[in-house]
Amino acid sequence: MNAIAKVGAFAGAVVALGGLGSAVGASVGPLGEPERHPEHAAEKSSHGGHAGHGAAKAPAATGLNVSEAGYTLDLVEDRYQRTTDATLRFRILGADDQPVTRFETAHGKKLHLIVVRRDLATFQHVHPVMAADGTWSVDADLADAGTYRVFADFQPAAEDEGLTLGQDLFVGGPYEPQPLPPAATTSAISPYQVDLDGHLVAGKTSRLTLTVNRDGEPVTDLEPYLEAYGHLVALRDGDLAYLHVHPEGAPGDGRTDPGPEITFSAEVPSAGTYRLFLDFQHAGEVRTAAFTAEAH
C-alpha cells in the first residue's frame, strides 16, 4: 500500500482521533520493557471496523482500547529505532490468550492495519500477512521518531461484527511534534488535487463528496481498490479514536461512476478537529490525500 500520507483524505473511511505526542525537542525511547497488556474486556460492545457499503448506522468511535470484547492486540515489539523498512509483528489474542487464526474477509483483506504518528503528521494503511501460528507481519516506514498509534481493523470468524483495537509503539530519536495543518477543503498530491465538499456535524450523518482531478482535469477512470473507489481514515485530534465509514456505491454496481466524485456518509461522535485521510487508486498507484476538518 502507500507509504506515509502527504495530504488529507477521504473515501472508504476510517476515523482515528489523534492526540499530540511529546513536547518539542523531546527524545523518545526505546527504553525499558514493553508495557504489558491489560486484561481482556468482559463485555461486548458496538464496534467500528469495515462495515458493509451503504450501512445505515454509522459506527461509534473505536480504537481506544488494546483489549475489547475478549480480544487483544498484542504487538511483538513496541519499541523501534528510526528506519524506513521496519517489520511490524503482532497477534490478535482471544479470551483464552491464544492467537486467533480465523478471520472474515472485508474489502479483500482479512485485516487492515493503520499506523499513524500521534501528531497526525504521518499515516500508513497497510495489509499484513498472517503466518500459520497467528502472527501477522508487515513492513512499515518508521523513519520519523515519535509515538505512533497502531490500529488493527478486523472481524474474527466467530463474531458477527468487526472491531478495531489500538496500541502505541515508540520510535527512538529526536522528536519535534508538528502542528496540525489548518482546516482546508483542497488537498494537493502532485499532479492530483482532491476537493472536499460537505461539513462534519457532530451526532448527525454528514454527506461528504471528494472530487479527484489530475492536471486540472476530472479523473473519470479511478480504479477499484479494496473493492471501492476510495477508503477514508479520519483522525480526531485529542485521543486517537477511530471510525471507518465506506463510500456510497461500489465498483461494478451499475450506478457508481469511477470518478471524479466519491461520496460517502459519515457520522462523527463529537465536535472537534479531525484529520481525514483518503486512499484512492489511479494509473496503477495508490495515493493518499489528507484534510483537516472541523466538526460542529
Side-chain angles (χ1 to χ4, degrees):
M1 172 122 201
N2 64 302
I4 297 178
K6 296 177 182 174
V7 234
F10 214 123
V14 184
V15 179
L17 319 169
L20 292 182
S22 310
V24 173
S27 181
V28 177
L31 297 173
E33 292 298 318
E35 181 181 357
R36 297 298 96 193
H37 305 303
E39 293 297 321
H40 300 301
E43 297 181 350
K44 288 189 180 266
S45 61
S46 177
H47 305 305
H50 285 68
H53 293 300
K57 183 178 179 181
T62 61
L64 296 174
N65 301 320
V66 68
S67 295
E68 187 176 341
Y71 297 92
T72 294
L73 171 59
D74 179 36
L75 295 178
V76 174
E77 297 288 344
D78 65 359
R79 299 173 193 271
Y80 292 81
Q81 292 295 337
R82 288 178 294 172
T83 178
T84 58
D85 59 354
T87 299
L88 305 184
R89 294 185 177 86
F90 64 94
R91 302 175 300 169
I92 303 298
L93 303 179
D96 57 359
D97 284 324
Q98 297 302 307
V100 177
T101 58
R102 297 180 61 244
F103 297 85
E104 298 294 336
T105 298
H107 298 280
K109 301 294 180 180
K110 299 286 188 181
L111 187 146
H112 297 257
L113 199 75
I114 305 298
V115 182
V116 58
R117 203 169 74 172
R118 276 192 171 268
D119 63 357
L120 306 182
T122 70
F123 169 87
Q124 297 170 79
H125 178 176
V126 294
H127 300 101
V129 176
M130 189 186 71
D133 67 353
T135 299
W136 296 83
S137 61
V138 67
D139 291 337
D141 187 341
L142 300 179
D144 298 315
T147 302
Y148 289 72
R149 189 69 171 173
V150 177
F151 297 96
D153 187 353
F154 61 93
Q155 180 179 338
E159 304 296 336
D160 294 330
E161 295 181 318
L163 68 156
T164 303
L165 301 177
Q167 185 180 350
D168 284 353
L169 67 78
F170 310 94
V171 179
Y175 170 43
E176 183 172 347
Q178 300 300 305
L180 200 64
T185 58
T186 297
S187 174
I189 325 142
S190 182
Y192 295 87
Q193 176 177 304
V194 182
D195 296 314
L196 171 63
D197 182 41
H199 302 281
L200 294 174
V201 180
K204 295 184 179 180
T205 300
S206 303
R207 198 174 196 215
L208 303 177
T209 299
L210 292 107
T211 303
V212 182
N213 293 280
R214 179 175 181 175
D215 294 325
E217 297 295 327
V219 175
T220 58
D221 57 348
L222 290 172
E223 298 162 357
Y225 174 66
L226 300 175
E227 303 176 353
Y229 286 126
H231 290 266
L232 173 74
V233 177
L235 312 169
R236 182 178 63 193
D237 183 36
D239 65 356
L240 289 181
Y242 170 111
L243 175 65
H244 196 155
V245 181
H246 293 286
E248 297 178 0
D253 64 4
R255 58 185 179 82
T256 302
D257 294 328
E261 296 181 347
I262 308 169
T263 301
F264 63 92
S265 298
E267 183 177 329
V268 295
S270 70
T273 303
Y274 291 78
R275 189 72 170 157
L276 309 179
F277 295 92
L278 167 70
D279 290 337
F280 66 94
Q281 182 169 308
H282 186 247
E285 183 177 342
V286 177
R287 295 170 173 84
T288 302
F291 301 83
T292 299
E294 299 287 341
H296 302 283

